[in-house]
């Protein structure tokens, strides 16, 4: 009975004098609840992630098992597809001999150089094109044409101009990486929520400060999507360039091993390149998360 | 002598809207479309004025003109006697969709206007904390907008507009996206803040109840073309208790409803519903 009366009293108080306070408190409680449920859901998602990792690795274990078993059972020709243990042994030998490191280094340097150059040049260019509408209107047809031209089709051109050395490969990677970065940067700048711009403009911000304080931070997540795409591109296209003409690099290693019929070495090269791609992507993904924590996905 | 000065400042015009029209060229070469025609309205210093009207009557455009974000086709808007030529820190806007910067925390969002005003860094943080506290959100300094509820986001947006201390607060249906309970509590808080700070407030709404509850004066706008039909002084001395249940409130409400009804009545005559449900 007493409890009931207190409850009723509180309710009346809530409706008249301290109504505001009561609502704030309830909102705050809502906030805290979200906090706890967030923690709970974090625990659950961790569990989920562990389960997912198990399922994912199960698929990989199965793949490796088949890779080992099928050649041994004679289902596939073990000359062309040696069992994984043979390939890994070859990989180890290459690593110990230092040859793998040499090829790996050559590839990594080329792709990083091209990729880095693309970031340094394509991001500012994209910002410029995205910000100045006349420039954007002027360049759009050309951009459309180039984005639909495969970079690979232009490799002979690069070789003609820059020769077979390092320059043509770096330029080639740079070219291929530039497009996703450039196009994403342009779209990032052009798709900034107009209300945010209006809001900043109402505070009397001039174009330069508006760009630095609103447009640039708002575009960062989209730019990063482009950078991540370019990271994947950089390895894909470099491999191709190294297969066409090179004396070092993982692409060269794979091609050369195949030509010299050192099949396990070839697979060793392939495994290395896929691990490199994976590593690159994970690194960029972590960077992207770090730079756009605020983005609600 | 002092008394005359006081009474004069009390009714001094803060914002003067003089014969403001807005005309758009018709895209198909027809006659130009008159969105707003000869709007004249004075907002007094320190006044809480609500502007109510049906959707599409141009009330948001009028607010943006006061803010200096767009300019009238003819006529002029003066603030303290000086014509508005662009945006400025003497006016702050609060939008319906909050317009918070998602990459900034609550505190840093509030600091945004202070950065624009070139307030020193240390002072910025201090002021931002003060205003966050004023809107009842201390403890939420480091939350990002997506971690806050709609009501909290609008609180941050209000704090942001108050922090750089503008004379005029322009509010464009700021509570329209909130649930009824949150809206009521924010309405109460806004009045408290207004009393505390003495700002001149122009508050746009399409809700008659909201206009009547908040405004010292309600300006009623018609649509196509947008015109000020009339302004109504509200008779309430205080907003304590359940004002909306007061019979006088009901009478005024009905009066405004009758004024707006012919403005929104469609062919079926369901005007009242449209006033309440559509946003402008």
């Amino acid at each position: 009975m007493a409890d009931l009366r207190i409850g009723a009293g509180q309710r009346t108080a809530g409706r008249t004098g301290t109504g505001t306070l009561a609502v704030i408190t309830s909102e705050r409680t809502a906030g805290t609840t979200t906090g706890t449920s967030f923690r709970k859901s974090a625990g659950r998602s961790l569990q989920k992630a562990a389960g997912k990792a198990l399922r994912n690795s199960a698929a990989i274990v199965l793949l490796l098992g088949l890779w080992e078993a099928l050649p041994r059972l004679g289902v596939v020709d073990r000359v062309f597809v040696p069992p994984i243990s043979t390939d890994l042994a070859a990989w180890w030998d290459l690593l110990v001999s230092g040859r793998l490191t040499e090829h790996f280094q050559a590839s990594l340097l080329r792709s990083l150089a091209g990729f880095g150059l693309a970031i340094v040049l394509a991001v500012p260019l994209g910002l410029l094109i995205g910000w100045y509408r006349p420039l954007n209107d002027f360049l759009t047809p050309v951009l459309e044409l180039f984005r639909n031209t495969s970079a690979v089709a232009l490799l002979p051109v690069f070789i003609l101009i820059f020769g077979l050395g390092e320059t043509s490969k770096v330029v080639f990677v740079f070219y291929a990486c530039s497009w996703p970065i450039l196009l994403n940067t342009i779209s990032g700048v052009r798709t900034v929520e107009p209300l945010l711009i209006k809001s900043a403009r109402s505070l009397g911000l001039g174009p330069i400060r508006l760009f630095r304080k609103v447009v640039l931070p708002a575009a960062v997540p989209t730019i990063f999507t482009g950078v991540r795409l370019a990271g994947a591109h950089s390895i894909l296209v470099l491999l191709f360039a190294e297969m066409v003409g090179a004396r070092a690099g993982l692409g060269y290693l794979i091609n050369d091993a195949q030509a010299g019929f050192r099949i396990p070495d070839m697979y060793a090269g392939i495994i290395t390149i896929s691990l490199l791609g994976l590593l690159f992507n994970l690194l960029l993904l972590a960077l992207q998360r770090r730079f756009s924590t605020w983005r609600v996905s | 002598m002092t008394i005359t000065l006081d009474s004069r400042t009390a009714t001094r015009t803060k914002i003067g809207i003089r014969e403001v029209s807005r005309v758009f060229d018709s895209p198909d070469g027809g006659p130009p479309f008159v969105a707003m025609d000869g709007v004249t309205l004075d907002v007094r210093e320190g006044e809480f004025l609500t502007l109510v009207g049906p959707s599409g009557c141009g009330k948001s455009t009028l607010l943006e003109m006061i803010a200096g974000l767009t300019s009238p086709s003819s006529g002029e808007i003066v603030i303290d006697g000086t014509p508005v030529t662009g945006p400025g820190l003497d006016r702050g806007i609060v939008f319906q969709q909050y317009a918070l910067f998602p990459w900034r925390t609550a505190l840093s969002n509030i600091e945004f206007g202070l950065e624009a005003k070139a307030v020193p860094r240390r002072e910025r943080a201090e002021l931002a904390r003060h205003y966050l506290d004023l809107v009842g959100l201390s403890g939420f300094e480091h939350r990002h907008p997506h971690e806050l509820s709609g009501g909290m986001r609008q609180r941050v947006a209000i704090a942001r507009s108050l922090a750089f201390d503008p004379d005029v607060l322009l509010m464009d249906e700021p509570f329209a996206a909130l649930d009824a309970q949150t809206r009521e509590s924010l309405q109460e808080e806004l009045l408290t803040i207004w009393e505390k700070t003495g700002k001149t407030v122009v508050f746009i709404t399409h809700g008659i109840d909201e206009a009547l509850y908040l405004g010292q004066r309600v300006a009623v706008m018609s649509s196509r073309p947008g015109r000020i039909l009339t302004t109504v002084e509200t008779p309430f001395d205080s907003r304590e208790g359940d004002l909306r249940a007061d019979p006088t409130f009901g009478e005024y409400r009905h009066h405004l409803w009758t004024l707006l009804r012919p403005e929104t009545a469609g062919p079926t005559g369901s005007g009242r519903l449209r006033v309440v449900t559509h946003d402008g």
Side-chain angles (χ1 to χ4, degrees):
Chain A
M1 195 58 201
D3 285 347
L4 252 175
R5 226 175 289 141
I6 291 165
Q10 273 172 342
R11 219 174 298 148
T12 340
R15 219 176 283 159
T16 53
T18 50
T20 326
L21 235 165
V23 176
I24 300 176
T25 330
S26 77
E27 245 181 67
R28 264 197 210 151
T29 334
T32 341
T33 326
T34 332
T36 9
S37 69
F38 179 76
R39 227 171 291 138
K40 248 186 233 164
S41 76
R44 214 177 302 136
S45 68
L46 199 74
Q47 216 172 2
K48 233 192 223 169
K52 201 177 161 207
L54 204 75
R55 273 198 300 280
N56 283 0
S57 57
I60 286 177
V61 168
L62 183 72
L63 175 75
L64 294 180
L66 284 174
W67 195 342
E68 185 65 34
L70 293 183
R72 283 190 188 281
L73 293 172
V75 181
V76 294
D77 193 334
R78 64 180 299 170
V79 176
F80 297 135
V81 186
I84 181 73
S85 55
T86 316
D87 300 326
L88 287 178
W91 187 84
W92 182 250
D93 286 342
L94 277 173
L95 185 71
V96 170
S97 72
R99 278 175 60 214
L100 189 67
T101 322
E102 176 196 319
H103 290 302
F104 183 82
Q105 213 169 35
S107 289
L108 193 67
L109 283 177
R110 284 170 189 149
S111 69
L112 282 182
F115 178 52
L117 212 59
I119 294 176
V120 170
L121 292 176
V123 171
L125 189 64
L127 293 174
L128 208 69
I129 297 174
W131 187 236
Y132 292 104
R133 210 198 155 84
L135 191 61
N136 184 67
D137 292 345
F138 174 69
L139 286 176
T140 298
V142 185
L143 294 181
E144 277 304 312
L145 185 71
F146 274 95
R147 77 187 285 193
N148 288 304
T149 307
S150 167
V152 168
L154 289 171
L155 181 60
V157 180
F158 290 128
I159 291 176
L160 265 181
I161 299 173
F162 299 104
L164 270 168
E166 293 303 301
T167 320
S168 68
K169 288 174 194 65
V170 172
V171 171
F172 180 57
V173 172
F174 158 70
Y175 177 84
C177 289
S178 291
W179 293 105
I181 297 177
L182 187 70
L183 296 168
N184 271 281
T185 306
I186 294 172
S187 111
V189 172
R190 297 196 58 86
T191 54
V192 176
E193 169 65 47
L195 185 62
L196 293 182
I197 294 180
K198 198 194 265 185
S199 168
R201 229 159 49 80
S202 79
L203 297 170
L205 256 68
I208 293 171
R209 280 209 294 173
L210 184 70
F211 184 80
R212 200 166 58 81
K213 285 188 175 271
V214 181
V215 175
L216 199 57
V220 162
T222 322
I223 295 174
F224 246 97
T225 307
V227 168
R228 210 155 64 78
L229 269 171
H233 269 53
S234 74
I235 291 173
L236 288 178
V237 301
L238 175 69
L239 205 66
F240 181 77
E242 286 175 345
M243 284 182 169
V244 172
R247 281 176 302 275
L250 291 168
Y252 166 78
L253 171 71
I254 293 166
N255 226 24
D256 185 55
Q258 191 255 8
F261 221 70
R262 299 188 308 278
I263 303 299
D265 282 6
M266 180 187 85
Y267 283 106
I270 294 173
I271 291 168
T272 312
I273 205 82
S274 73
L275 288 179
L276 179 65
L278 205 64
L279 192 77
F280 229 56
N281 197 40
L282 284 177
L283 215 74
L284 288 169
L285 204 64
L287 258 172
Q288 184 177 24
R289 290 222 183 93
R290 164 110 182 64
F291 276 100
S292 46
T293 41
W294 53 270
R295 196 188 210 186
V296 202
S297 49
Chain B
M1 191 63 201
T2 338
I3 295 161
T4 15
L5 255 175
D6 275 352
S7 64
R8 206 185 298 157
T9 42
T11 54
R12 204 169 72 92
T13 299
K14 183 72 189 174
I15 307 167
I17 301 164
R18 309 275 152 75
E19 287 294 325
V20 163
S21 300
R22 182 67 186 261
V23 182
F24 293 103
D25 289 327
S26 170
D28 49 10
F33 171 69
V34 182
M36 204 184 291
D37 187 26
V39 169
T40 296
L41 182 68
D42 277 354
V43 185
R44 300 165 199 150
E45 174 127 58
E47 182 181 28
F48 199 125
L49 179 101
T50 50
L51 186 64
V52 66
S55 50
C57 73
K59 50 192 193 297
S60 291
T61 312
L62 188 61
L63 201 77
E64 287 186 7
M65 286 176 182
I66 302 174
L69 290 169
T70 44
S71 36
S73 306
S74 66
E76 70 167 355
I77 294 173
V78 294
I79 289 180
D80 293 327
T82 316
V84 170
T85 50
L89 288 163
D90 55 336
R91 289 148 284 159
I93 307 198
V94 178
F95 297 96
Q96 182 186 330
Q97 293 305 332
Y98 328 121
L100 296 178
F101 301 108
W103 56 89
R104 285 174 166 243
T105 60
L107 200 68
S108 146
N109 258 292
I110 299 173
E111 284 181 22
F112 192 87
L114 299 169
E115 289 167 25
K117 206 181 174 183
V119 173
R121 183 183 292 270
R122 187 168 301 168
E123 212 175 309
R124 274 206 308 256
E126 213 171 283
L127 271 168
R129 264 173 218 284
H130 168 77
Y131 281 97
L132 200 66
D133 187 45
L134 185 73
V135 296
L137 281 182
S138 21
F140 290 86
E141 286 84 357
H142 304 299
R143 297 281 187 96
H144 282 87
H146 74 269
E147 298 168 305
L148 299 171
S149 69
M152 290 165 153
R153 284 182 211 179
Q154 198 53 288
R155 284 198 165 98
V156 175
I158 292 171
R160 180 176 64 182
S161 290
L162 289 169
F164 57 88
D165 199 23
D167 292 341
V168 176
L169 199 57
L170 305 168
M171 308 186 88
D172 191 357
E173 306 205 29
F175 306 147
L178 305 175
D179 64 90
Q181 207 188 355
T182 312
R183 185 185 311 139
E184 271 190 33
S185 74
L186 273 170
Q187 284 170 349
E188 279 177 38
E189 277 180 71
L190 179 63
L191 285 174
T192 314
I193 289 168
W194 168 65
E195 275 160 16
K196 242 187 252 179
T197 56
K199 306 269 180 222
T200 308
V201 180
V202 180
F203 187 107
I204 282 183
T205 177
H206 60 269
I208 296 173
D209 286 55
E210 187 170 57
L212 204 52
Y213 178 79
L214 289 173
Q216 287 180 301
R217 207 151 56 103
V218 181
V220 183
M221 220 173 152
S222 68
S223 68
R224 288 186 201 112
R227 281 198 183 103
I228 301 289
L229 286 177
T230 182
T231 58
V232 178
E233 302 264 352
T234 54
F236 319 112
D237 296 328
S238 91
R239 264 72 180 167
E240 298 273 307
D242 191 357
L243 183 70
R244 294 171 185 85
D246 192 309
T248 323
F249 189 92
E251 277 168 36
Y252 272 79
R253 191 193 175 287
H254 182 72
H255 175 57
L256 291 178
W257 179 73
T258 330
L259 282 171
L260 281 164
R261 191 172 137 89
E263 287 306 321
T264 49
T268 50
S270 59
R272 180 186 161 195
L273 247 171
R274 290 177 55 187
V275 176
V276 181
T277 51
H278 284 220
D279 58 29

